Structures are given as C-alpha cells and as structure tokens.
C-alpha cells in the first residue's frame, strides 16, 4: 500500500506571495491532518479534515487554510507569506482520526525569502 | 508550561548500548501515546503506539506508559548507528485527533 505523498517536496517563495501544498493520504484513510515543523517551535498542529470538513483547528492565523476533496486528498494554502512561515509542512493520514495511528508524509519544505 | 516535556538532548551512545528516552505530560486527558522516529529532512515514522499503561515490545523497541505518573518511555536495545535520528513522543486526547508532540530527542549512536 502506498504511503502518504506530498507535493511539491521543496518550494521557494517570497514574502507576500501565496502557496498551495498538496497531500494524498493512504488509500482508505479519510482523515488528513497538517502540521508545521520549525526548529524553534517543533511540530505544531494546523488543522484536520475528515470527509471534506474541517474538524479541528490549531492556533494559527487565518492566512493558513485548507480543504479536502471527495477522494480525501487535501490541500493547504498559506496567503501573504511571511519569513516566519519557512518550515517543513507535514501531512498525516489516518482511517478516521479519533485516537488512531497517524502516518506522516515526507513533508514539503517551504522557504520564504 | 508545555503540555508535553521531552529532553532535546543531544544524546550520544556507543553501538550496542541500551537507550532510554522519556517524556512527561501534564494533561490527564491524553490517552493515546506514540513514538515517532525522524531522520534528517524526512517525515516522522511511527515506531510505537500504545493506549494503556504498561509495556509494549516490538523487536528492539519497548514502549512504556505510566499514566499515574504521566510518564512515557521508549527503550532501544542493542542500539545501532542506523538508530541515529530524532525521536519524538506524541499523544492524543480521548476521542481527539490532534497530536501533541514533545520537542524531540536527538540521538546519535556511535560505531
């Protein structure tokens, strides 16, 4: 069974631009969560989608948004990029998301200049 | 105060050593506990998943949970250079989906 895939793997943007990241979960998994990883803050939860609905949200500004499609694939968008948004963005999938094992993708490394 | 505390290390051990990694947490609502391994510039890889207090063993890895003390551990026996990575503890509240992570412990196993 294929694992979680994320595209693109690397991205360089400039301040003020916007970016869209994509995540394809493991086949059959309906829950997709997004995390931001930085050296200073570690891994922080952004949001979770289940059956095309945002079910849970972390403490990030409204510039961070996401969506999930009917095939469970998910995208996250960051508008008006700031230097501090440079991070590894990780996507994790699970069957239904409630206390279950979450499997992570390789991440998208975003650099904002 | 962070909900999950983990010593970031770095921890350096000789090959073959037993490694002990630990996390403490403050919120008794955490019910599911995981250990992830993350190699440099890669995504976290699930190592162990536990729910109840007690021990769970998988090969060279043993996860231990003590809910009364709010303390979890990961033991690695016969450590290998390929075990060199950052180890992250993570936990989920009852019926929740949000993983709360420790800071991660950077481990180096020297040949």
């Amino acid at each position: 069974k294929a694992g979680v895939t994320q595209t693109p793997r690397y991205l360089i943007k400039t301040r003020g631009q916007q970016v869209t990241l994509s995540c394809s979960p493991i086949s059959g998994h309906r829950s997709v969560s997004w995390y931001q990883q930085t050296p200073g803050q570690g891994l922080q939860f952004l949001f979770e989608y289940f059956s095309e609905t945002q079910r849970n949200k972390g403490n990030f500004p409204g510039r961070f948004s996401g969506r999930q499609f009917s095939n469970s694939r998910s995208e996250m968008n960051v508008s008006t990029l700031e230097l501090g948004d440079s991070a590894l963005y990780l996507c994790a999938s699970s069957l239904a998301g409630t206390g279950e094992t979450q499997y992570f993708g390789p991440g998208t490394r975003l650099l904002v200049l | 105060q962070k909900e999950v505390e983990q010593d970031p290390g770095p921890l350096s051990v000789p090959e073959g050593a037993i490694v002990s990694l630990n996390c403490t947490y403050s919120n008794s609502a955490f019910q599911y506990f995981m250990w992830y391994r993350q190699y440099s510039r890669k995504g976290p890889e699930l190592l162990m998943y536990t729910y109840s207090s007690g021990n769970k063993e998988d090969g060279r890895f043993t996860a231990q949970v003590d809910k009364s003390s709010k303390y979890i551990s990961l033991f690695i026996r016969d450590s290998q250079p390929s075990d060199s990575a950052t180890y992250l503890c993570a936990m989920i509240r009852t019926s929740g989906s949000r993983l709360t992570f420790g800071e991660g412990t950077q481990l180096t196993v020297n040949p």
Side-chain angles (χ1 to χ4, degrees):
Chain A
K1 190 181 272 191
V4 179
T5 58
Q6 292 187 245
T7 57
R9 294 292 311 278
Y10 303 93
L11 210 48
I12 300 175
K13 292 286 187 179
T14 56
R15 279 183 301 172
Q17 287 187 310
Q18 75 165 16
V19 66
T20 299
L21 313 180
S22 180
C23 170
S24 292
I26 292 170
S27 177
H29 285 194
R30 296 169 62 193
S31 170
V32 173
S33 296
W34 288 88
Y35 294 83
Q36 182 196 64
Q37 186 174 31
T38 59
Q41 299 297 319
L43 270 150
Q44 292 187 290
F45 174 79
L46 281 156
F47 31 65
E48 184 225 356
Y49 285 86
F50 178 78
S51 291
E52 302 179 64
T53 301
Q54 188 181 88
R55 190 163 63 174
N56 216 336
K57 189 178 188 306
N59 296 323
F60 278 82
R63 299 185 298 107
F64 293 82
S65 63
R67 60 178 175 168
Q68 187 180 34
F69 302 94
S70 58
N71 62 357
S72 295
R73 189 178 70 86
S74 177
E75 289 181 347
M76 69 162 280
N77 184 75
V78 188
S79 62
T80 319
L81 284 166
E82 300 178 359
L83 295 178
D85 296 333
S86 295
L88 181 66
Y89 290 89
L90 292 157
C91 160
S93 81
S94 66
L95 279 169
T98 49
E100 296 169 339
T101 308
Q102 295 185 27
Y103 298 92
F104 282 84
T108 295
R109 187 163 296 279
L110 172 64
L111 177 62
V112 181
L113 301 175
Chain B
Q1 185 187 0
K2 294 180 181 178
E3 285 189 289
V4 180
E5 298 279 358
Q6 181 177 10
D7 186 341
L11 181 62
S12 181
V13 302
E15 184 175 353
I18 296 175
V19 176
S20 172
L21 304 167
N22 312 292
C23 288
T24 59
Y25 61 97
S26 56
N27 193 333
S28 58
F30 287 126
Q31 295 294 319
Y32 305 91
F33 305 92
M34 281 138 275
W35 286 95
Y36 286 87
R37 176 175 64 193
Q38 186 175 26
Y39 292 110
S40 181
R41 299 190 171 274
K42 303 286 186 184
E45 170 195 10
L46 180 69
L47 284 176
M48 301 289 282
Y49 171 90
T50 56
Y51 170 69
S52 57
S53 284
N55 294 352
K56 181 177 181 180
E57 190 173 317
D58 184 359
R60 296 185 295 112
F61 298 93
T62 299
Q64 197 171 74
V65 173
D66 183 347
K67 289 185 178 180
S68 62
S69 302
K70 297 188 179 67
Y71 188 87
I72 68 171
S73 300
L74 178 71
F75 298 96
I76 306 174
R77 290 184 301 280
D78 187 26
S79 56
Q80 302 295 309
S82 58
D83 294 327
S84 298
T86 296
Y87 289 80
L88 297 146
C89 65
M91 43 200 82
I92 302 178
R93 292 174 176 80
T94 306
S95 301
S97 58
R98 175 191 307 209
L99 281 168
T100 301
F101 283 88
E103 189 174 346
T105 300
Q106 186 180 341
L107 170 68
T108 300
V109 181
N110 300 298

